[in-house]
Amino acid sequence: MDFDAFLLSRLQFAFTIAFHILFPSFTIGLASYLAVLEGLWLATGRERFKTLYLFWVRIFALSFGMGVVTGVVLSYEIGANWSGFAAKSGSVLGPLLAFEVLTAFFLEASFLGVMLFGWKKVGRKLHFAASCAVAVGTLFSTFWIVSANSWMQHPTAFATLPDGRLVATDWMRVIFSPSFPLRLLHMVLAAYLTTALVVGAASAWRLLKTPDETESRTALIMAIGMFALVAPLQLAVGDQQGLKMGELQPAKLAAVEALWESRAGQPFHILAWPDRALQANRWELSIPRLGSLILKHDPNATVTGLKAFSRADQPPPLPVFYAFRLMVGLGLAMIGLGVWGALLIWRGSPERSRVFLWTCVAMGPAGFVSVVSGWVVAEVGRQPWVVYGVQRTADAVAPLQRGQVSASLLGFLMVYAIIFSAGVIYILRLIDRGPAAGAAPPPPDEGRAPGVSFNAALDPDTTEDGR
Amino acid sequence: MSLDLPLIWAGIIAATVLLYVMLDGFDLGIGILFPFARSPADRDAMMNAIAPVWDGNETWLVLGGGGLLAAFPLAYALLLPALYLPIILMLLGLALRGVAFEFRLNGRRSGKRFWTMAFAGGSLAATFAQGLVLGGFIQGVKADGVVFAGGPFDWLTPYSALVACGLAAGYVLLGAGWLMWKTEDALHGDARRWTAIAGVLTALLLLAVSLATLFLHPRVAARWGVVDGTVDWSRFLPKAPIPLLGVAGLGLLTFGLRRASHALPFVGAVLVFLSGYLGLAAGFMPYVAPYVLTFRQAAAADNALALMLGGAALLAPAIVGYTVWVYWVFRGKVGADAGYH
Ligand code: HDD
Ligand code: HEM
Ligand code: HEM
């Protein structure tokens, strides 16, 4: 193995997976939101739910496409860049990933076609069923992939064969490994929050421009409801995860809190500069005993510090420490936004407060930032292990050379930059135009069989040669 | 338990890859044909012919990869690093063409033109890369035990380039056949012409690849009874139906074109692919990573194979059921009216 190929593989994997997770975090929530909107439309017959559906489904189509193509990349990188990992854990994790394909990806991909192109081809109820199937598919997908990841965080119910490969000894305990339930809940709530923040920001933006747009008002209120309900729940789940982490991955917990010494009554560092070479913090700004209170729910409890682990087993504390604070800080801000919005609704009209609307716009990307920070905490905090305590990341890497991995990393950087900028521009452009513009009534069915994408319904200046 | 799980899984993975090649084959082929369309309206119709199903088609690739990881982890871990660069090229090509479906509808003038090119270029790159992967696979990989031990460019030979050209011609044939089925009027006429040209190219390249394989890869040749330039008929004849199937496919293709049938040429193209694929399989069985790992050596633990077999038995009928239903919903001819207006 070539050491640079190892570093480059890590960089490439971190980049491609962080890029991928942006789209699922949004499409998981949006798929459920779309199913709810269509259900509300069918149940109440109110046009505005249909208008909102037709508007968001176009944004969904764009994001889902990006989610699919970046996801396919990951499923091949596991073998191409981490063949040591694939060979060792394949018999345990492989089935979980295969079940993801069988239960989720086929469901999503097939019914997505009906959802996007079948508006005029199938009845209303069947179309609604397709929307629901896609929503359920995204949740199945989350289930399996988070299950696989949870097992990597705390492997259980496996045995090691003489040639070093792992086999499962109890599938239920592999699938439902100890950190899985909380992690799954945290991820699904994260996806719902991310979507709600985007919907809230888009609606607020429209309301700043056209204060009496009823669709946007409805959407804003739905989004505020989600902040107010889900954000506090997320805090509670995250808190439980912290307790679990202390039990299952004490080294990660010590890195998250930048604690070096093991002792009772640990402080909480608001800010610090952990330095691995020094094996201490260069400086810190702390509140005494609060650390133990948060991490163990007891101000006098003992919390293990990083020094209890040999240097080779310590995760890098700096990124983990700050990523965690970013996630929690934004989570608290989301709770604040929910409370503020609920108060405004209680007083009558949230769309009148321009300060609130601008804050919603500013918070639009907060979900994405929190999700990526959360995964940095989970994954970088797991280092130097790829399968915690069982296989080191350095032993997982494929026998590749530096040149190859540089070339592929460069390719991903370039292609993803193009895809990302175009995708973001198209989505922002749709949002700017608002729900009413996108919901031009479909023409009468001419009895032909075109699959018609909602995204085809754009202004006439989109023909290729500019006619 | 008496089931031969590794053998069953070898069959399932082989069937998955075959389905992938035929299904994504036609939509990649349509991508390659994109630049040859007469007008943007024709291109819209071409895209409409595949837009509702391409994602489902590509999912077979994910199942092929995921299934290989799950059922034959050692083969997965050996082959992917060995074929690293073409795999990455394939992924990049698939990414560009995959987003082009929706992006092309959202772009304004230059954006739309860019995504038209990206769709064609990405499809071509992905196809060519898959051909290189296939060629590299046939050539075999170097290994030290079960770990790849070759260089980054082992897969790059004139032979693999020939295979890549052959695969591209084959995908174009499938794509053109699909278009004949799904379109009308001028575009249908163009598709007919493309089918004829691609049919000739595919037949020639398939022949060239077969001959090259016999000359360059004696192990495969021996399977077919060809040793040192002489043919052992007792070994060849049992396999003779495979090339005959290909000839029958080409015959059906020609017949369909002559009769101006809309569906037969595609069926003929599918038979040609089936023949090529079976031919390959006959040359390799039991290797999953030629010529280092057999499917038995590479297989995952029995309890993993059994678990997945149970799952697949439950889920496969549902998957096939709704996939067929989706194709049925979108049956019939597509038009260029790719919009509400
Ligand atoms: C929390 C959820 C989540 C996480 C952690 C991941 N994914 Fe993902 N993935 C999804 C949730 C998702 C999804 C919601 O199901 C997507 C997003 C958009 C989409 O098309 O489906 C998806 C798409 C998607 C696809 C394309 C499916 C298709 O063809 O339709 C593949 C192959 C993967 N993912 C593979 C992976 C791998 C190998 C991951 C980690 C190493 C991974 N995903 C992390
Ligand atoms: C989608 C959410 C995820 C994100 C954002 C994420 C992020 C990351 C990051 C940033 C690293 C690099 C850590 C480092 O090298 O310091 C990493 C490592 C890794 N992750 Fe994840 N991860 C996610 C989910 C998963 C899942 C679900 C799996 C597998 C089933 C997985 C498998 C791996 C592997 C094999 C590595 C080791 C390679 C490496 O260190 O770069 N990850 N991940
Ligand atoms: C509000 C307070 C929050 C707390 C206390 C909290 C706590 C945690 C903890 C302890 C982990 C690490 C789990 C582990 O590695 O074992 C984590 C991970 C994560 N967090 Fe949070 N979190 C909070 C808010 C949020 C928000 C608002 C989001 C996104 C909208 C989010 C998204 C994530 C994600 C995606 C992960 C990685 C997946 C996982 O390990 O569960 N978190 N969080």
Side-chain angles (χ1 to χ4, degrees), chain A residues 171-351:
Chain A
W171 284 111
M172 288 313 275
R173 284 176 53 222
V174 167
I175 297 170
F176 294 92
S177 65
S179 67
F180 172 55
L182 287 173
R183 203 182 293 277
L184 175 64
L185 197 58
H186 200 62
M187 181 63 221
V188 173
L189 295 181
Y192 283 1
L193 275 174
T194 304
T195 307
L197 286 162
V198 175
V199 171
S203 314
W205 176 254
R206 289 296 306 168
L207 289 168
L208 283 165
K209 288 173 70 170
T210 43
D212 49 353
E213 196 165 73
T214 49
E215 289 89 0
S216 294
R217 184 172 187 278
T218 306
L220 181 68
I221 290 176
M222 290 173 91
I224 293 173
M226 288 298 282
F227 307 152
L229 231 71
V230 178
L233 208 58
Q234 184 73 316
L235 176 65
V237 175
D239 174 47
Q240 290 301 310
Q241 274 182 293
L243 295 180
K244 247 302 170 284
M245 197 198 281
E247 206 182 293
L248 304 176
Q249 294 177 314
K252 187 194 274 184
L253 188 70
V256 161
E257 298 302 347
L259 300 172
W260 296 92
E261 311 293 339
S262 307
R263 55 184 159 90
Q266 292 275 24
F268 177 76
H269 301 314
I270 303 168
L271 289 178
W273 193 259
D275 185 333
R276 242 202 215 178
L278 231 54
Q279 292 284 297
N281 295 333
R282 290 213 188 158
W283 49 261
E284 54 198 34
L285 178 69
S286 338
I287 305 176
R289 288 184 190 277
L290 186 61
S292 287
L293 182 64
I294 292 177
L295 302 173
K296 304 276 172 175
H297 291 194
D298 167 4
N300 297 314
T302 305
V303 180
T304 314
L306 276 169
K307 276 188 177 172
F309 305 89
S310 76
R311 268 192 198 210
D313 289 345
Q314 293 174 356
L318 191 68
V320 179
F321 180 86
Y322 281 102
F324 184 77
R325 272 147 191 77
L326 191 57
M327 167 179 68
V328 175
L330 287 174
L332 296 177
M334 292 169 207
I335 297 179
L337 196 65
V339 173
W340 185 6
L343 278 177
L344 289 175
I345 293 180
W346 184 55
R347 292 234 213 92
S349 33
E351 71 274 19

Side-chain angles (χ1 to χ4, degrees), chain B residues 207-261:
Chain B
L207 191 69
V209 169
S210 306
L211 292 178
T213 310
L214 291 180
F215 281 111
L216 295 174
H217 302 292
R219 282 166 180 265
V220 181
R223 290 288 179 88
W224 289 87
V226 181
V227 179
D228 297 333
T230 57
V231 182
D232 173 356
W233 293 103
S234 66
R235 295 183 74 181
F236 179 78
L237 283 179
K239 295 204 175 73
I242 296 176
L244 285 182
L245 181 67
V247 174
L250 288 170
L252 194 62
L253 184 72
T254 319
F255 177 76
L257 284 172
R258 286 253 165 85
R259 283 297 172 90
S261 156

Side-chain angles (χ1 to χ4, degrees), chain B residues 32-44 46 187 190 194:
Chain B
I32 301 175
L33 284 169
F34 228 48
F36 300 101
R38 282 167 204 265
S39 65
D42 276 0
R43 279 196 269 276
D44 291 344
M46 288 164 78
L187 180 55
D190 285 343
W194 295 333

